[in-house]
Amino acid sequence: MRCDVAIIGAGMSGLAAGLRLAQFGRSVVILERHGMWGGLNSFYKKDGYRFDVGLHAVTNALSPGYRGPRIPLQRIYRQLRLDPDLFALDPQGFSMTVFDDATLRFSNGLELLTQEIAERFPGEVDGFRLLGERCAAYPDSMVERPFVSTRAILADFIRDPLLVDMILCPLLYYGSAHENDVDFDQFKILFNSIYREGFCRPKEGVRRILDVLVSRFRESGGRLLRSTAVEAIEVRDRRVAALRLEAGGVVSADVVLSSAGLLETMALRTDADRVPPGPEVPGELSFVETIWVLDRPAKELGWEPSVAFFNRGSGFSWRRPEVFVDDTSGVICCPGNYRHDVAPEPVVLRATHLANHRAWFSFDPPAYDEAKREALKISESAVEAITGPFTSHALYRDMFTPKTVTKFTGHRNGAVYGTPDKRRTGRTDLDNLFLCGTDQGFVGIVGAMLSGIAIANAYVLSAKGGEGA
Ligand SMILES: Cc1cc2nc3c(=O)[nH]c(=O)nc-3n(C[C@H](O)[C@H](O)[C@H](O)COP(=O)(O)OP(=O)(O)OC[C@H]3O[C@@H](n4cnc5c(N)ncnc54)[C@H](O)[C@@H]3O)c2cc1C
């Protein structure tokens, strides 16, 4: 099979890149290992219930009547020629960060968070306002630069270590591949995405966004091949000559975009043993996620936040835990607590905790099942300590682990945000192979879509005289 552009992976970045290119008349093939598209943000059916794999929140909410510099969601709508109503996004009510000694609520826009900081940390609110100003502009996403420690920079704005950790906790959970810190440019992106613009959610969950991307891609002439794993990237004369498929057959393309991850993509190369190893290492940060189906809306049990980030004990630790599941911190998400006019079905509560991928990958099948049961109990008691009792209303439980993340993404170590060493330009040492998605540096649903668009613009459309970003 021949095409202009072949894309490895039908996650958010691969789909957005594919749609952008197909709309410009390129012949595009997306090759997806799984039977379903969406990557880490897919959906599945189990025992009669329909679940999203990972959806807590779509970041970068666009407030009605927003006037100002173009923000990420507007860029996506414009670049993919989508009517904003198609994703059917509703805003959050409010979210919060709960530590032993303080709670801070936040919602879309910085007002509520600023007010809460003024009440709980009065001496810090001016510093927080200045931090907001310092973060106001988005950095250029495609420029390589050395890591700059956010913790070092925050010390110039915020003195109280509790507030530093409380500001960081949601942002690290939703987008840092670095242990215990985050690059300052990435921090600015996350600050704007989560605090300034805020959270929203598609009425029908992530399948709504995926349906739009996939149907538009096909209508634009793109081909999406499911259950089609790329087994090898054949390299000749510093170029990808062809992609060899696991099921047999080859695809050749002028340009190849890969959303499979930096190290994972390099390992597929037929010359992998001759490529000198780079400094990049696999990420260490992975999650377990617990899902409860409840017999009634969480609000009826007295739980109102859309998303809650919690931490117990002193200091917030964002690193691979020693134990298989770390119940000292987590994220609790309640899809029914968004401002939807019709409550999502089933009623679900989800919780995410850091997990030790080494432990999970070392378990044999019986030990793995036992560990899941144990992790579920640990998660339940940690979450109930924050939300109050709810498990007597649980009709069904499901859980996924670092092994599941690897299954859905191919990422080593189940590393949700990939390697800490991002390739912001998307370039590799091969002339026609580029990275998009997680390891290009933009994470999350919105970040991954923007990454796909930016890489398509930079290396296919601009290169051939099409419309740039
Ligand atoms: C528990 C959890 C909750 C999350 N919640 C949110 C949230 O609420 N909001 C948010 O914005 N983000 C969330 N995320 C993060 C978000 O899901 C990811 O950042 C984003 O989906 C990454 O998209 P991507 O296209 O870069 O990569 P991926 O989704 O990893 O897609 C890569 C695709 O490539 C395919 N692939 C890999 N190798 C091959 C191969 N050899 N051949 C063919 N195909 C291949 C994979 O099967 C996969 O489909 C969450 C993640 C997790 C784990």
Side-chain angles (χ1 to χ4, degrees), residues 50-70:
R50 281 151 63 108
F51 298 113
D52 288 325
V53 177
L55 180 69
H56 285 203
V58 174
T59 56
N60 304 88
L62 176 58
S63 305
Y66 169 81
R67 298 268 176 279
R70 186 170 293 137

Side-chain angles (χ1 to χ4, degrees), residues 33-338:
R33 179 207 307 265
H34 281 288
M36 188 41 70
W37 44 76
L40 205 42
N41 263 114
S42 194
F43 52 90
Y44 62 101
K45 203 167 175 185
K46 199 167 170 189
D47 296 324
Y49 295 109
R50 281 151 63 108
F51 298 113
D52 288 325
V53 177
L55 180 69
H56 285 203
V58 174
T59 56
N60 304 88
L62 176 58
S63 305
Y66 169 81
R67 298 268 176 279
R70 186 170 293 137
I71 58 174
L73 212 44
Q74 290 175 313
R75 266 193 77 201
I76 289 173
Y77 295 143
R78 181 171 172 273
Q79 297 261 320
L80 299 182
R81 303 176 191 167
L82 299 174
D83 183 312
D85 293 337
L86 279 172
F87 286 165
L89 296 169
D90 290 324
Q92 65 175 326
F94 71 95
S95 292
M96 63 189 195
T97 305
V98 187
F99 278 40
D100 284 349
D101 296 330
T103 295
L104 293 174
R105 292 177 307 147
F106 59 94
S107 191
N108 299 356
L110 286 175
E111 296 76 14
L112 178 58
L113 181 57
T114 308
Q115 189 187 315
E116 297 261 312
I117 290 175
E119 280 167 22
R120 176 61 184 79
F121 301 91
E124 303 283 5
V125 70
D126 291 339
F128 180 73
R129 285 202 182 95
L130 288 173
L131 177 66
E133 285 169 25
R134 174 84 184 264
C135 294
Y138 278 98
D140 187 335
S141 62
M142 291 186 64
V143 174
E144 297 290 0
R145 52 204 171 228
F147 178 86
V148 174
S149 162
T150 295
R151 283 195 180 272
I153 291 189
L154 283 190
D156 294 339
F157 293 91
I158 311 283
R159 288 177 304 271
D160 189 326
L162 171 62
L163 181 57
V164 168
D165 276 346
M166 292 187 79
I167 290 171
L168 281 174
C169 173
L171 310 196
L172 301 190
Y173 254 106
Y174 276 4
S176 177
H178 277 273
E179 291 192 302
N180 273 332
D181 208 341
V182 57
D183 172 64
F184 190 60
D185 273 343
Q186 176 76 351
F187 174 84
K188 287 187 205 166
I189 293 169
L190 292 164
F191 185 97
N192 289 324
S193 305
I194 293 169
Y195 291 143
R196 195 185 301 277
E197 290 156 32
F199 295 152
C200 52
R201 184 182 177 279
K203 278 188 207 319
E204 299 135 52
V206 79
R207 75 202 77 186
R208 176 68 174 239
I209 296 178
L210 291 170
D211 284 352
V212 170
L213 296 178
V214 170
S215 60
R216 290 297 169 97
F217 174 65
R218 287 181 168 149
E219 284 158 23
S220 308
R223 277 173 295 173
L224 170 51
L225 305 185
R226 291 185 277 164
S227 306
T228 305
V230 174
E231 181 182 56
I233 297 175
E234 286 183 12
V235 178
R236 253 174 273 146
D237 302 329
R238 290 178 53 84
R239 290 182 65 79
V240 178
L243 300 176
R244 212 164 56 222
L245 306 181
E246 212 171 82
V250 293
V251 173
S252 54
D254 296 338
V255 176
V256 174
L257 310 184
S258 174
S259 64
L262 170 60
L263 297 165
E264 294 80 359
T265 301
M266 294 303 146
L268 289 172
R269 289 167 57 164
T270 47
D271 64 346
D273 54 344
R274 277 168 280 138
V275 181
E280 296 89 1
V281 291
E284 288 290 338
L285 293 160
S286 195
F287 295 157
V288 294
E289 172 115 342
T290 317
I291 301 168
W292 297 270
V293 175
L294 303 182
D295 66 2
R296 66 198 63 196
K299 278 189 180 163
E300 287 182 18
L301 301 171
W303 182 249
E304 303 222 339
S306 304
V307 188
F309 302 83
F310 71 87
N311 185 62
R312 301 180 300 164
S314 61
F316 168 58
S317 169
W318 178 249
R319 57 193 288 274
R320 173 170 51 82
E322 297 298 325
V323 289
F324 71 128
V325 52
D326 179 0
D327 63 348
T328 58
S329 76
V331 186
I332 304 163
C333 170
C334 192
N337 287 351
Y338 281 78

Side-chain angles (χ1 to χ4, degrees), residues 7 9-23 28 30 76 79-80 82 87 210 213-214 217 257 436 445-457:
I7 300 175
M12 291 288 174
S13 64
L15 289 171
L19 174 53
R20 173 91 178 141
L21 294 170
Q23 284 173 332
V28 184
I30 303 182
I76 289 173
Q79 297 261 320
L80 299 182
L82 299 174
F87 286 165
L210 291 170
L213 296 178
V214 170
F217 174 65
L257 310 184
C436 64
I445 295 167
V446 169
M449 285 195 275
L450 280 176
S451 169
I453 292 168
I455 295 295
N457 285 339

